[in-house]
Amino acid sequence: MVLRIGYVREHFCSPLLQFEAEDKARHLLSSSAPQTSNTGGTGQLISRLTRDEIDIAIALTDPLIAGIAKGSEAYKLVGSYVTSPLRWAVITGHKPSAYNQISDLQGSTIGISRNGSGSQTMAYVMALQKRWPTSELKFQVNNDIRGLINSVNDGTTSAFMWEWFTTKPFADAGECRFIGQVPTPWPSWLIAAHPTRGEPAAVRTFLNNLSRHVRAFASAEARAGPSVKFVMDTFGYPETDVKEWLDAVEYPEDCSTIPWNVITDTLGVLQQAGVVAPSEGAVKRDQFVNLDVVTLV
């Protein structure tokens, strides 16, 4: 069966793009290569899963877990994609302003892509780390990176948060300023699938093929040259930025595994930050993961 794979076209998806290219070259269009990219973020991917536009999403850990904790039945977790933390930049407008460090943002309006997105979750985490009352956070939805940049420059928001290297070209071009960073306190990317639209065997085939490409991309030999060139050619990033990112990023050996503590630890931080309500009783494994597909470790 053909699986509709949703993903954000960023440097993290490089192994996925290599998988897609191989799949097309071999004319294996009935297997499990990516079918659809996404110009927004995880919030939009979750919406597309809900609307039956995609079957699988490769998306940020925290919004996926938060969505399930809040009662979503549109997906369950089926695998891991990136096991290192995500480096979120805190970004404001390019002109001199009152916002020059994270502490200046307290009480202001933060731009987010969508409600329930990673950009919103990380604003809660930032507030938690700074000991700000999370109940006082104010948000404005600006849909995508262009809307977020426009908003900090027209003054309707003070700042927004987005992945460091994705946003750095805009900062280098003088369109915005970095005033800080907040790394995620959890591994950054998981894989989710609709619980019934993707047959377990087809999802497992996709995860096995993706694992092969992830291992090749993240190998020491590839990091020393081919993976650097691929990211530079595909996304136009300077070599120094690509090497800095590759030095820090970590992918799993097997994308069909998820450490159970990733789910419980992330859920604990989200509860502490006020993103989700405290759990009543033990967290149920089958609520969060598709046990017909994933291996919990």
Side-chain angles (χ1 to χ4, degrees):
M1 66 177 296
V2 175
L3 292 172
R4 299 167 296 172
I5 314 298
Y7 63 97
V8 180
R9 189 178 174 84
E10 295 176 350
H11 46 292
F12 288 97
C13 74
S14 293
L16 193 69
L17 297 178
Q18 292 175 336
F19 175 14
E20 181 180 36
E22 178 192 81
D23 193 88
K24 288 181 178 179
R26 294 182 178 181
H27 305 290
L28 301 175
L29 297 181
S30 62
S31 63
S32 53
Q35 299 293 318
T36 174
S37 63
N38 197 63
T39 57
T42 295
Q44 185 175 355
L45 286 170
I46 292 173
S47 295
R48 297 184 73 188
L49 274 170
T50 304
R51 296 195 301 264
D52 193 12
E53 296 175 3
I54 58 176
D55 306 309
I56 292 178
I58 297 179
L60 295 178
T61 295
D62 36 309
L64 288 177
I65 291 176
I68 296 173
K70 292 177 180 178
S72 175
E73 298 181 352
Y75 60 90
K76 289 189 177 183
L77 304 175
V78 296
S80 302
Y81 185 58
V82 176
T83 56
S84 50
L86 192 69
R87 184 181 178 186
W88 285 82
V90 183
I91 303 144
T92 191
H94 67 88
K95 296 179 180 178
S97 71
Y99 308 118
N100 297 300
Q101 54 190 356
I102 292 176
S103 59
D104 296 333
L105 302 177
Q106 184 173 7
S108 65
T109 299
I110 306 294
I112 59 173
S113 57
R114 276 173 172 73
N115 288 312
S117 65
S119 56
Q120 184 178 40
T121 301
M122 286 307 296
Y124 280 109
V125 172
M126 178 175 67
L128 181 66
Q129 291 178 354
K130 295 296 182 181
R131 294 185 169 83
W132 301 341
T134 56
S135 60
E136 296 179 5
L137 287 174
K138 295 177 289 185
F139 299 107
Q140 177 175 301
V141 175
N142 291 312
N143 300 315
D144 54 24
I145 187 67
R146 176 47 59 190
L148 290 163
I149 291 174
N150 290 343
S151 182
V152 291
N153 283 319
D154 66 24
T156 52
T157 61
S158 61
F160 69 93
M161 302 178 70
W162 210 259
E163 196 276 330
W164 183 278
F165 292 102
T166 305
T167 324
K168 191 172 181 293
F170 298 99
D172 290 344
E175 294 189 54
C176 56
R177 286 185 295 127
F178 286 3
I179 60 171
Q181 61 179 305
V182 181
T184 60
W186 44 67
S188 48
W189 297 80
L190 293 176
I191 304 170
H194 189 274
T196 60
R197 287 200 297 266
E199 297 176 0
V203 176
R204 285 194 294 268
T205 297
F206 166 74
L207 293 171
N208 289 338
N209 285 326
L210 180 60
S211 297
R212 177 168 52 86
H213 285 276
V214 160
R215 288 192 296 269
F217 179 82
S219 68
E221 180 181 2
R223 288 177 192 256
S227 293
V228 175
K229 185 177 187 304
F230 181 86
V231 177
M232 290 174 62
D233 292 347
T234 304
F235 298 99
Y237 293 173
E239 183 176 3
T240 53
D241 287 354
V242 177
K243 288 183 174 179
E244 183 182 353
W245 171 67
L246 280 171
D247 283 345
V249 71
E250 296 177 5
Y251 288 90
E253 283 289 315
D254 183 354
C255 291
S256 67
T257 63
I258 302 176
W260 178 240
N261 71 290
V262 167
I263 296 172
T264 55
D265 291 353
T266 302
L267 192 57
V269 176
L270 295 176
Q271 291 169 346
Q272 188 180 6
V275 176
V276 299
S279 300
E280 295 184 3
V283 179
K284 297 180 179 179
R285 298 191 174 204
D286 60 357
Q287 176 189 358
F288 284 86
V289 302
N290 185 336
L291 295 172
D292 292 329
V293 175
V294 74
T295 300
L296 289 172
V297 295

